[in-house]
Amino acid sequence: MAQKFRVVIVGGGVAGLALATRLGDRIGKSGQAEITLVDKSFAHVWKPMLHCFAAGTAANENDRISFLSQASRHHFEFWPGEISGMDRKAKTITLAPVVEPTGEVILDERKLEYDALVLSIGSRANDFGTPGVAEHCLFIDNLVDANGFNDRFRMELLKAFGNNEQLDIAIVGGGATGTQLAAELHKALDLASLYSFGKKPPKLNITLLEAGPRILPAFPEAVSAAAQKELEAIGVQVQTSAMVSGADEKGFMLKDGTRIPATLRVWAAGVKAPDVTRKFGELKLSRSGQLEVRPTLQLVEDDSIFAMGDCAFIADKPVAPTAQAARQQAHHLARYMPAWIGGKALPPFAFHNKGAVVALGDYNGWGTFPGGRVFGGGWLRGITARMVHLMLYRQHQFELYGVFRGTMSCLVDWLDVFVRPSVRLD
């Protein structure tokens, strides 16, 4: 019996899981190809919601999508593991051992063979080699990071509550992640105070540090100014043109000599590809470690290897590393890869900007249309933009779950409001 064409997708983020689901339904079910998804986690979350998981305002047990469950329903295989190497000549990838926190090795190092390899390994914050950041800062690049931060946040909040002390938090990076996290942490404290039996909640002192002249630089200046005003109204201290020169266990140091004390220090600045891209051999990389691809999303050096999402760099026409772009690239490959397997040429990918949205918890929100026109804000507290943000998440769920399961997921979330606390307390 002839070997089926093997498509291996590494990374189960927005792009990777969408591609695995669509290819599984289209060519995995029919037996035209064998689709395998690899990820170091066992569940998928929508990355634009990580700040909500970090603050504890979203119940991630409801918002996670099991890779094993999704694979069984959509005709692809799932293997847990983290890519650690690649042999392009032998057409294999190496997966690092799966190790328990206790140090016990659950799965040894393994190799997977492929006929087509799709790398969708995302990105992480870029500390730019700033002294002390790696050792003393928390990141929220993935669900493990977000849950780890939430554990620390709740414990420090409890300590501040019990000792009637102020809790100082500093966030570096005034992009969407850092800005939304600052607002969401205040929302978490507001919600937690509902369960404080009349006791006065501790003061939460959050400082948002941005190296550039304004926060939310990807949005129009009017949105940046309105968002800063809203953050300052709820008590966030926003410092722009604040270049961080170092970090230690007590806070951040700025280049102008200022010191920012902080019990919790979060680094949400910059974007770079995972360091493993530099271990793939002689491949062309961008300055931030992204894999350089042609407009067809194939590597410059290898027709059988694709990259999409945050880890990919289209030199001819760069695309911003956003969930919107990653999703469109996944849809492009899902549409044209079956014919490519059959010998047809791939058309180039074309990005269609559909605007952007930022939501500051329940306080306010703004969005931009492709032409730059702004909506949201105002006396309605940006309800339109906040609803668009929620609808994008629901769209993602419906795409992966289908109409029936997507509707049931919405219903479960709605019913959950009447059962669980609105913020994580334990």
Side-chain angles (χ1 to χ4, degrees):
M1 184 177 178
Q3 170 71 49
K4 291 182 182 178
F5 191 92
R6 297 160 298 186
V7 179
V8 175
I9 303 165
V10 182
V14 169
L17 186 55
L19 179 61
T21 299
R22 289 189 170 217
L23 286 182
D25 287 341
R26 187 168 178 186
I27 57 177
K29 183 178 181 180
S30 66
Q32 182 182 348
E34 183 180 278
I35 314 299
T36 302
L37 176 68
V38 176
D39 195 277
K40 61 183 177 181
S41 176
F42 279 87
H44 162 89
V45 296
W46 194 48
K47 192 171 182 179
M49 279 191 69
L50 284 176
H51 64 282
C52 298
F53 301 139
T57 54
N60 62 56
E61 61 268 20
N62 292 348
D63 296 295
R64 288 181 291 183
I65 296 176
S66 164
F67 288 130
L68 287 168
S69 173
Q70 189 74 1
S72 68
R73 291 174 180 270
H74 294 279
H75 316 285
F76 64 89
E77 293 185 0
F78 168 71
W79 272 105
E82 185 172 10
I83 187 170
S84 60
M86 175 197 305
D87 185 335
R88 290 196 290 126
K89 186 175 180 180
K91 285 196 169 186
T92 62
I93 60 170
T94 302
L95 301 182
V98 176
V99 183
E100 279 273 28
T102 59
E104 181 185 355
V105 176
I106 304 302
L107 290 174
D108 291 322
E109 181 179 273
R110 293 148 291 149
K111 291 187 183 295
L112 283 181
E113 297 179 332
Y114 66 85
D115 296 302
L117 175 66
V118 184
L119 298 169
S120 182
I121 53 180
S123 63
R124 52 164 296 181
N126 191 348
D127 63 15
F128 305 103
T130 307
V133 170
E135 298 83 3
H136 301 292
C137 291
L138 296 163
F139 298 80
I140 54 170
D141 295 323
N142 51 55
L143 183 60
V144 173
D145 290 346
N147 284 340
F149 173 85
N150 184 254
D151 289 339
R152 286 284 307 277
F153 174 60
R154 287 183 293 107
M155 293 304 101
E156 293 296 340
L157 198 60
L158 177 62
K159 187 188 300 183
F161 195 105
N163 297 329
N164 194 27
E165 297 175 342
Q166 175 176 289
L167 175 56
D168 295 318
I169 301 176
I171 303 169
V172 178
T177 299
T179 302
Q180 292 180 132
L181 177 62
E184 208 68 27
L185 290 172
H186 264 283
K187 175 184 173 181
L189 184 61
D190 289 344
L191 293 172
S193 66
L194 299 175
Y195 305 94
S196 63
F197 303 102
K199 295 181 181 179
K200 185 178 180 181
K203 178 175 172 53
L204 188 61
N205 179 45
I206 298 179
T207 303
L208 181 63
L209 302 170
E210 167 56 41
R214 61 187 179 95
I215 62 171
L216 298 176
F219 287 79
E221 288 190 25
V223 173
S224 298
Q228 180 168 339
K229 184 177 179 181
E230 187 68 48
L231 287 174
E232 291 172 343
I234 63 175
V236 176
Q237 300 179 47
V238 180
Q239 294 190 28
T240 55
S241 301
M243 186 69 71
V244 174
S245 61
D248 58 25
E249 68 278 3
K250 295 184 178 180
F252 290 108
M253 290 76 72
L254 305 186
K255 281 198 172 180
D256 65 3
T258 304
R259 184 172 183 86
I260 308 296
T263 303
L264 294 178
R265 301 157 298 280
V266 184
W267 191 274
V271 176
K272 72 173 185 176
D275 294 337
V276 72
T277 59
R278 303 185 186 279
K279 301 178 182 179
F280 289 161
E282 297 298 321
L283 297 179
K284 198 169 184 181
L285 305 177
S286 72
R287 291 179 60 186
S288 59
Q290 296 166 295
L291 296 156
E292 187 168 323
V293 297
R294 289 166 276 166
T296 57
L297 303 180
Q298 293 165 295
L299 292 194
V300 173
E301 303 85 355
D302 197 320
D303 286 350
S304 63
I305 302 178
F306 300 77
M308 61 180 183
D310 293 0
C311 72
F313 176 72
I314 306 173
D316 292 358
K317 198 171 184 180
V319 177
T322 62
Q324 177 186 176
R327 181 173 177 268
Q328 289 186 28
Q329 289 171 352
H331 289 183
H332 177 83
L333 288 183
R335 180 178 180 181
Y336 294 109
M337 185 174 275
W340 173 80
I341 292 172
K344 291 187 178 181
L346 281 165
F349 166 74
F351 174 65
H352 301 286
N353 182 15
K354 297 184 179 179
V357 65
V358 60
L360 302 185
D362 295 334
Y363 306 111
N364 220 323
W366 298 267
T368 59
F369 292 109
R373 188 161 63 90
V374 175
F375 65 93
W379 65 275
L380 288 176
R381 307 187 70 80
I383 190 170
T384 53
R386 291 188 285 120
M387 286 301 295
V388 168
H389 192 269
L390 176 61
M391 287 170 60
L392 289 172
Y393 170 57
R394 294 304 182 191
Q395 178 190 45
H396 179 65
Q397 282 188 314
F398 273 77
E399 178 183 355
L400 296 175
Y401 279 150
V403 175
F404 178 75
R405 292 182 68 217
T407 302
M408 290 299 101
S409 177
C410 293
L411 181 61
V412 168
D413 286 348
W414 179 75
L415 292 173
D416 209 41
V417 172
F418 299 98
V419 179
R420 297 177 183 270
S422 49
V423 64
R424 186 180 178 193
L425 301 172
D426 54 12

